[in-house]
């Protein structure tokens, strides 16, 4: 099966064609103003160069910064209403309180606080009020807002009041899109809430962009499924990306780390990407980029989205071996092999390490596109289980099942899905937090 990997950034677009264990060809081209058409035109040239027919492409995997750029430029975002179930708590810290004023304005700055919600241990804060929600719906309808993000102080494992509020509001607001912030995980309220708001604000842009990609690829004779790279070095299908475009943030660096591991046949390493006057370093752990701790910080926002643990440095000259060794130490990975990728990787010697063998592979300048082409599909679950309601075993079984289902919903082949990682954390009030990652191979039909 041949996969096409494409990584589109502001200046450069990388393209590769990969089979199971080799790169069949690759190129880098300047990114055009219409990045979609330009990328597919370059892919056509690469197919001609390699003698591969468009019909042989089983799937296309894309890493893109388009949605990050839209947030940074405050462009193309749709209006969103944020409804938080919280009163009388958190009134001093409304939705988007930590957003820059111009970004809040770009999605309309609409927010509402109402009664409802639960504490971490499952205790109710206040009763959900259907009359309040009905009044909120009337105001949203009058303002002609087409999307609503619903959040609560703490997201119970079953959705809690957020699920009930969604049912009430959707009845009052037919045709309006909804997102529940609890689906973004359990990290801080503002991070979860902001992620849900941005996902809805970016949805129309994502639908247009990915629809255009699918049509342009079909015109080129490529009809395999389309996948998008996430910020944790994994993939999701196009339908999932339309619902969760924020998960694409940080995918470029994550792809570089995963692509480096695949090229060098390593599952654990320090990966340093060199591109002119910029150095970006991260750690490959158990085959995936090591994740950053806590909420992602992107464009000045705290977001509940997967993101690689990175060290980024400007350069005034090419780094020497000692600098690269120091970077590995700063990442807490001085005992791991160091892999260099990126456009300028060939100009620098990596530190010697006994775990690294073999000559520098070709195509290391295209690590981002390679990482997209070879990545697995993932499903993540981050939920809290009150042990007054769940046994330890039942909580684990539920979280594992949900992660596997999430991977399949994101486009993983069902018979390939397996649990890749599980973290448990005891929280106050006899609450168990479980974070589970399931991985599977892309289902390409």
């Amino acid at each position: 099966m041949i996969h096409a990997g494409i990584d589109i950034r502001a200046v450069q677009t990388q393209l590769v064609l990969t089979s199971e264990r080799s790169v069949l060809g690759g190129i880098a081209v300047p990114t055009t103003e219409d990045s979609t058409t330009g990328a597919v035109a370059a892919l056509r040239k690469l197919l001609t160069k390699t003698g591969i027919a468009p019909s042989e492409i089983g799937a296309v995997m894309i890493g893109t910064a388009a949605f990050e750029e839209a947030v940074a430029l405050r462009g193309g975002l749709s209006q969103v209403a944020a409804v938080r179930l919280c009163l009388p708590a958190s009134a001093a810290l409304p939705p988007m309180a930590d957003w820059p004023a111009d970004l809040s304005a770009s999605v309309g700055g609409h927010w509402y606080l109402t009664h409802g919600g639960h504490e971490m241990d499952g205790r109710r804060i206040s009763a959900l009020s259907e009359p309040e929600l009905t009044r909120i719906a009337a105001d949203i309808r009058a303002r002609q807002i087409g999307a609503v993000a619903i959040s609560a102080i703490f997201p119970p494992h079953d959705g809690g009041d957020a699920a009930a509020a969604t049912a009430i509001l959707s009845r009052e607001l037919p045709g309006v899109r909804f997102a529940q912030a609890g689906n973004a995980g359990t990290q801080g309220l503002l991070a979860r809430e902001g992620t849900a708001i941005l996902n809805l604000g970016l949805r129309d842009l994502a639908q247009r962009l990915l629809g255009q990609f699918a049509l342009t690829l079909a015109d080129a004779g490529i009809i395999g499924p389309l996948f998008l790279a996430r910020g944790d070095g994994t993939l999701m299908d196009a339908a999932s990306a339309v619902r969760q475009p924020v998960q694409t943030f940080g995918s470029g660096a994550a792809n570089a780390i995963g692509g480096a591991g695949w090229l060098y046949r390593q599952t654990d390493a320090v990966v340093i990407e060199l591109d002119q006057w910029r150095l970006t370093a991260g750690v490959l752990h158990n085959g995936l980029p090591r994740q950053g701790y806590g909420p992602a910080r992107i464009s000045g926002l705290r977001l509940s989205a997967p993101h690689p643990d990175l060290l980024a440095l400007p350069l005034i000259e090419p780094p020497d071996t000692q600098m690269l060794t120091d970077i590995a130490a700063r990442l807490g990975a001085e005992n791991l092999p160091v892999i260099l990728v990126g456009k300028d990787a060939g100009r620098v010697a990596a530190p010697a390490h006994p775990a690294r063998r073999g000559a520098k592979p070709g195509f290391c300048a295209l690590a981002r596109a390679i990482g997209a082409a070879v990545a697995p599909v993932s499903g993540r679950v981050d939920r809290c289980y009150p042990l007054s309601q769940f046994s330890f075993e039942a909580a684990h079984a539920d979280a594992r099942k949900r992660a596997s289902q999430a991977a399949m919903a994101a486009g993983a082949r069902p018979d390939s899905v397996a649990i890749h990682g599980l973290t448990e954390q005891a929280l106050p009030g006899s609450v168990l937090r479980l974070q589970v990652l399931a991985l599977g191979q892309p289902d390409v039909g």
Side-chain angles (χ1 to χ4, degrees), residues 21-112:
R21 286 309 307 170
S22 63
V23 181
L24 305 176
I27 55 173
V29 298
T31 299
T32 58
E33 183 175 353
D34 180 354
S35 59
T36 300
T37 303
V40 176
L43 179 57
R44 285 176 183 262
K45 293 179 181 178
L46 181 58
L47 290 170
T48 300
K49 179 180 177 182
T50 57
I52 296 171
S55 59
E56 295 181 73
I57 305 301
V60 178
M61 287 73 174
I62 297 173
T64 178
F67 307 123
E68 289 177 76
E69 291 168 0
V71 173
L73 298 173
R74 315 300 195 241
L77 302 178
S78 302
Q79 300 278 294
V80 181
V83 177
R84 184 193 296 170
L85 313 174
C86 62
L87 294 177
S90 79
L93 201 65
M96 298 175 280
D98 59 343
W99 284 30
D102 60 341
L103 180 56
S104 176
S106 70
V107 294
H110 312 288
W111 55 266
Y112 305 85

Side-chain angles (χ1 to χ4, degrees), residues 254-267 269-273 284 339-342 361 364 366-368 370-371 374:
N255 286 343
I257 295 170
W262 188 85
L263 277 171
Y264 280 91
R265 309 296 193 262
Q266 296 284 342
T267 58
V270 175
V271 176
I272 298 177
E273 184 182 34
L284 182 72
I339 297 173
L340 301 181
V341 295
C364 66
L366 304 177
R368 293 189 172 205
I370 292 168
V374 303

Side-chain angles (χ1 to χ4, degrees), residues 63-370:
T64 178
F67 307 123
E68 289 177 76
E69 291 168 0
V71 173
L73 298 173
R74 315 300 195 241
L77 302 178
S78 302
Q79 300 278 294
V80 181
V83 177
R84 184 193 296 170
L85 313 174
C86 62
L87 294 177
S90 79
L93 201 65
M96 298 175 280
D98 59 343
W99 284 30
D102 60 341
L103 180 56
S104 176
S106 70
V107 294
H110 312 288
W111 55 266
Y112 305 85
L113 305 183
T114 185
H115 287 83
H118 298 79
E119 301 285 2
M120 184 187 301
D121 60 3
R123 289 179 298 159
R124 178 170 287 285
I125 295 172
S126 61
L128 188 69
S129 172
E130 185 167 347
E132 287 181 5
L133 289 169
T134 301
R135 288 194 293 272
I136 288 170
D139 192 65
I140 291 172
R141 186 166 51 248
R143 295 173 184 267
Q144 298 183 327
I145 303 168
V148 178
I150 301 177
S151 63
I153 295 291
F154 200 80
H157 74 281
D158 61 356
D161 282 353
T166 300
I168 294 168
L169 290 173
S170 60
R171 184 188 67 217
E172 297 289 327
L173 298 167
V176 169
R177 296 189 296 266
F178 291 87
Q180 294 180 33
N183 293 333
T186 62
Q187 294 178 6
L189 170 60
L190 290 176
R192 281 186 281 112
E193 200 168 53
T195 301
I197 294 168
L198 268 190
N199 275 333
L200 287 171
L202 289 165
R203 185 175 292 192
D204 287 340
L205 173 63
Q207 202 154 21
R208 288 195 304 272
L209 179 64
L210 299 183
Q212 182 186 0
F213 242 118
L215 287 173
T216 309
L217 287 167
D219 287 344
I222 301 169
I223 58 173
L226 182 63
F227 292 85
L228 271 289
R230 304 183 196 244
D232 61 357
T234 67
L235 299 170
M236 57 183 165
D237 62 15
S240 299
V242 168
R243 294 189 300 271
Q244 305 175 76
V246 169
Q247 292 217 7
T248 67
F249 291 12
S251 63
N255 286 343
I257 295 170
W262 188 85
L263 277 171
Y264 280 91
R265 309 296 193 262
Q266 296 284 342
T267 58
D268 296 271
V270 175
V271 176
I272 298 177
E273 184 182 34
L274 299 171
D275 186 356
Q276 290 185 320
W277 307 114
R278 182 183 62 200
L279 177 154
T280 306
V283 177
L284 182 72
H285 174 64
N286 198 17
L288 291 175
R290 187 174 73 188
Q291 291 297 285
Y293 178 77
R297 294 185 177 273
I298 300 169
S299 294
L301 303 179
R302 287 181 293 176
L303 299 172
S304 184
H307 59 290
D309 180 15
L310 298 176
L311 176 63
L313 299 172
L315 296 174
I316 58 174
E317 59 185 6
D320 58 20
T321 299
Q322 184 59 52
M323 181 180 181
L324 300 181
T325 301
D326 291 345
I327 287 171
R330 288 178 63 180
L331 290 168
E334 57 269 35
N335 295 322
L336 294 179
V338 174
I339 297 173
L340 301 181
V341 295
K343 186 168 63 175
D344 296 321
R347 300 171 55 194
V348 180
H353 193 284
R356 178 177 175 207
R357 298 182 175 90
K360 184 190 299 294
F363 300 108
C364 66
L366 304 177
R368 293 189 172 205
I370 292 168

